[in-house]
Amino acid sequence: MASATLKKNYRCSQSLQQFYSGGPFVVSSDGSFIACSCGESIKIVDSSNASTKFTIEAESSTITALALSPNDKLLFSAGHSRQIKVWDLDTFKCLRSWKGHDGPVMGMACHGSGGLLATSGADRKVLVWDVDGGFCTHYFKGHKGVVTSIMFHPDVNKSLLFSGSDDTTVRVWDLLAKKCVAVLEKHFSAVSSMAVSEDGWTLLTAGRDKVVNLWDLLDYRCKSTIPTYEVLEAVCVVYSGSRFASSLGAFLQQSGKKKSRSTGIYFIAAGERGIVRIWTSEGAVFLYEQKSSDVTISSAEDEDSTRGFISAVMLPLDQGLLCVTADQQFLFYSPAEHLEEKWSLKLTKRLVGFNDEIVDMKFLDEEEQYLAVATNLEQVRVYDLSSMSCSYVLAGHTDTILCLDTSISSNGRRLILTGSKDNSVRLWESERRCCIGLGIGHMGAVGAVAFSKKCRDFFVSGSSDRTIKVWNFHGLSDDIEEPISLKAKAVVAAHDKDINSLAVAPNDSLVCSGSQDRTACIWRLPELVLVVKFTGHKRGIWCVEFSPVDQCVITASGDKTVKIWAIADGSCLKTFEGHTSSVLRASFLTRGTQFVSCGADGLVKLWTIKTNECIATYDQHEDKVWALAVGKKTEMLATGGSDAVINLWHDSTAAEKEEAFRKEEEGVLRGQELENALLDAEYTKAIQIALELRRPHKLFELFSELCRKREAGYHIDKALHALGKGEFLLLFEYIREWNTKPKLCNVAQSVLFRAFNILLPTEIIEIKSISELLEGLIPYSQRHFSRIDRLIRSTFLLDYTLLRMSVIEPATQDDLKTKSLLHSEKNEEDALLTDNAEEDQKQVSEEQKPKASGKKRKSHKSGDHSRSHKKVKDSSTHANTAAVPSQA
């Protein structure tokens, strides 16, 4: 068998995060994304895979209202702070904001033209705003309660605005007349939803008084009242051209329930029962009702808590129906395709906005397509990882599920095993989505379960009652309607404290248990006879697992360590330290040569066993990582924890190796291009390639070569003109490094001088981190300037010496003027440096004996005399003299 290639890195490919905490949401005009309120922020969520495109930190308080412009370019938000904000969805920046209500804004709607925004608030007011100007155009008062819902007439040519309130009334406002034209009083409770018929002349209003009222918009009279016998939260009109209407009409015609000339309005009502019902205004009867609710109800909820649906909208572009549940789930419905027997709705997608704490998770099959997740609820949620949607929910436990395991039975059925705080274990069949076995017998919460690995006909469970039980499910038939009662065939009192983890050996001969009593034990199956006990951890053990190839066990403990134990004698083979808090999960990888661990510090670590080395650490979680699942096909990872985030990790070792090889190959080719450019004396191209390959030494050589040319400035300017802002930034970074070394500073200063001549000050300011670069350039540049100035000053002594030796000509009056002008431009900051230079010159002159200094004084006089004498000489005399001219 070929040795397994060690994994070097994992990459987080997908992440399922909390994106909805209840409250307002709005769907885009093409249905591609949903803007959801999530606490104090707004999440822009892709409706296809529940991924968060962007997060807008909108408020310092809870978001209470959202609206989108018709072209999806602008998003409007408001919260308890009463601030109304307009967001640009291209840049995700706030364009403008203002305050207008005296209380929280409870409702918001944008006009079909996109120019007006209507808001309603707890201050009983209805205000209309100009979107571009941000000023109020209409101010309406009249409601006696909180105005919870607001809606423009869908026909932009009709200037009507509808508002529903807790005072049980609906008011119709005329935007042109700027007054209330009708008060619709027929409800006996708060109005929760409104809709307008397709022809635009009928208004439908739903309330918590369990009725839907239909109003004629010509004379504002109530045409009919339809009792629905449930508290309603949403009413939606089914348009005649939609798939809903056509498929439902075809079925009714086929069944003989539809009249040939029906003028009724189809509408959908959703509310506290959590079922979708389709009604017709003709006869006030419902045409369709779901048999069972897709809403998962928690048994821990209070009787008065909100249940069922809290909102429903018809999706644009005939994409179906979207219903939102009280437990933050988005349910997408569409008509079933096969209507031979009965018309029905099909649940096509379920997006979970909030998962609560992730307790445990496992991959459902070897294909790594489905992931079973146990959250802090009584249900198991099974996710389709291709769309990150919840495919189905398994409900049956009466208390929180603490652990789960998955397996494929001998006859190919996918099974899920769960343990709960209700002291029971349940066996589920994935295909039929039903419970097929129930194990009752533990006296405490079941905190650990594990399937057999080889025979796959039994499982073990561990509980807070400190016992381990072996359950047999061999011989279960495929057509079980009701869960059968499972019997425990072996029981043992295993530990002194709660049992946290169980693992069955690959050959089904042993089972390992880890407990809060800081020990792990190996038991022989099926009698549960103690084989060996592992002692050495200083805190409770959270996880145990058998090696897939060796006779050893790995344990993760609250003492921040992971240990590997020998089954033969119970000795500790290796100890791994690195986590800063309790290690909660550990699992083998790469045929037992590596393992991955996660802990309460929020870290996921990848280890190599042979070298005791942690080769990678990932910090993608913000809280404890309770759950870890490893796939069998590609060994992809899934992690989840207290932050309610599920992260999926893929092995990126091969991809990164291939990418490194590709970059190396590309670097070799570009390096050859660089050498070719040098041979062809194409310095501009060579400099660009050197910057691209990030080769500062080669770049310095290129600029040094240019500086040695006759027209150095021209060549450097030509090379710099071809650079972009990013390349200038990189060049300045290299210049900063060259400038720190005296041997390289000449080239650095030359290039910097030419660069600053080319770039405008505004362009220099726009360069990223230019202030930091200048802070590194200025001190060394001042030091180089001072050093060169001292050297120039010291040359005067040489000039004087050579002059007295008659080697050079005396300077003319023009030369003296030039020299004096050159040195009169020194700043006051260089005064100290000047004094130092003069002291150095004194020390040099003092080394000449008093005799020499006497001569020097004499020579000064004669020098002055000779200079005055030389001034009157003809220039031709200077030309014929053999003396060497002095150069400043």
Side-chain angles (χ1 to χ4, degrees), residues 721-859:
H721 272 299
L723 302 183
K725 287 185 179 179
E727 291 170 321
F728 268 115
L729 174 62
L730 189 60
L731 177 62
F732 286 152
E733 290 177 357
Y734 292 152
I735 290 175
R736 180 180 60 182
E737 298 302 321
W738 301 339
N739 198 44
T740 60
K741 300 172 183 177
K743 291 183 179 180
L744 311 180
C745 68
N746 292 336
V747 175
Q749 289 293 325
S750 299
V751 178
L752 188 65
F753 174 72
R754 304 310 307 179
F756 281 172
N757 279 346
I758 290 173
L759 295 174
L760 296 174
T762 54
E763 295 177 343
I764 296 174
I765 292 173
E766 290 175 358
I767 296 176
K768 185 180 179 182
S769 306
I770 188 63
S771 59
E772 298 176 6
L773 293 172
L774 292 177
E775 286 177 4
L777 283 167
I778 291 173
Y780 282 98
S781 298
Q782 290 176 341
R783 189 177 303 177
H784 296 323
F785 180 78
S786 301
R787 178 172 55 82
I788 293 172
D789 184 69
R790 287 196 301 272
L791 289 173
I792 292 176
R793 288 170 183 271
S794 64
T795 60
F796 284 101
L797 178 61
L798 180 61
D799 288 347
Y800 172 75
T801 304
L802 294 175
L803 179 67
R804 301 315 301 159
M805 293 172 64
S806 299
V807 176
I808 62 172
E809 270 183 10
T812 64
Q813 189 67 27
D814 294 337
D815 294 337
L816 288 174
K817 284 182 181 179
T818 304
K819 253 186 188 181
S820 62
L821 285 173
L822 179 66
H823 292 284
S824 64
E825 293 177 356
K826 287 295 292 173
N827 295 330
E828 293 180 2
E829 297 176 355
D830 297 330
L832 183 60
L833 296 173
T834 305
D835 295 338
N836 293 338
E838 290 175 357
E839 287 177 7
D840 292 344
Q841 189 170 349
K842 261 184 197 175
Q843 290 177 2
V844 173
S845 59
E846 282 177 1
E847 291 179 1
Q848 314 284 338
K849 297 299 180 181
K851 178 180 176 181
S853 53
K855 288 181 180 178
K856 187 180 284 186
R857 286 194 297 273
K858 186 177 179 182
S859 66

Side-chain angles (χ1 to χ4, degrees), residues 281-350:
S281 61
E282 187 177 358
V285 294
F286 65 85
L287 305 176
Y288 169 75
E289 181 180 21
Q290 278 184 309
K291 290 183 178 179
S292 60
S293 174
D294 293 310
V295 180
T296 55
I297 303 298
S298 172
S299 61
E301 289 180 351
D302 299 330
E303 291 297 326
D304 297 333
S305 62
T306 304
R307 298 184 178 186
F309 296 129
I310 60 171
S311 183
V313 293
M314 294 298 294
L315 293 175
L317 305 179
D318 202 11
Q319 298 178 24
L321 173 69
L322 170 61
C323 296
V324 182
T325 68
D327 58 349
Q328 297 92 37
Q329 296 187 34
F330 289 75
L331 307 183
F332 293 78
Y333 290 99
S334 62
E337 296 179 358
H338 303 289
L339 304 174
E340 288 81 5
E341 298 180 1
K342 191 173 182 180
W343 193 88
S344 63
L345 283 179
K346 179 178 66 175
L347 178 63
T348 58
K349 194 189 308 178
R350 184 197 302 258

Side-chain angles (χ1 to χ4, degrees), residues 386-398:
S386 60
S387 62
M388 292 304 285
S389 64
C390 182
S391 294
Y392 54 92
V393 176
L394 301 177
H397 283 288
T398 59

Side-chain angles (χ1 to χ4, degrees), residues 169 176 226 275 421 467 472 484 551 579 691 702 722 770 837 851 877:
T169 65
L176 296 179
I226 303 174
I275 60 174
K421 281 185 178 181
T467 64
N472 189 4
I484 66 170
Q551 298 292 318
H579 281 279
L691 281 170
L702 290 170
I770 188 63
K851 178 180 176 181
T877 310

Side-chain angles (χ1 to χ4, degrees), residues 35 46 69 87 118 151 229 258 279 432 495 572 585 593 627 714 725 761 831 839:
D46 190 331
S69 63
W87 303 89
M151 182 184 70
Y229 307 105
K258 182 179 179 181
W279 298 76
R432 294 194 295 156
H495 290 274
C572 180
R585 288 288 185 272
T593 59
Y714 168 75
K725 287 185 179 179
E839 287 177 7

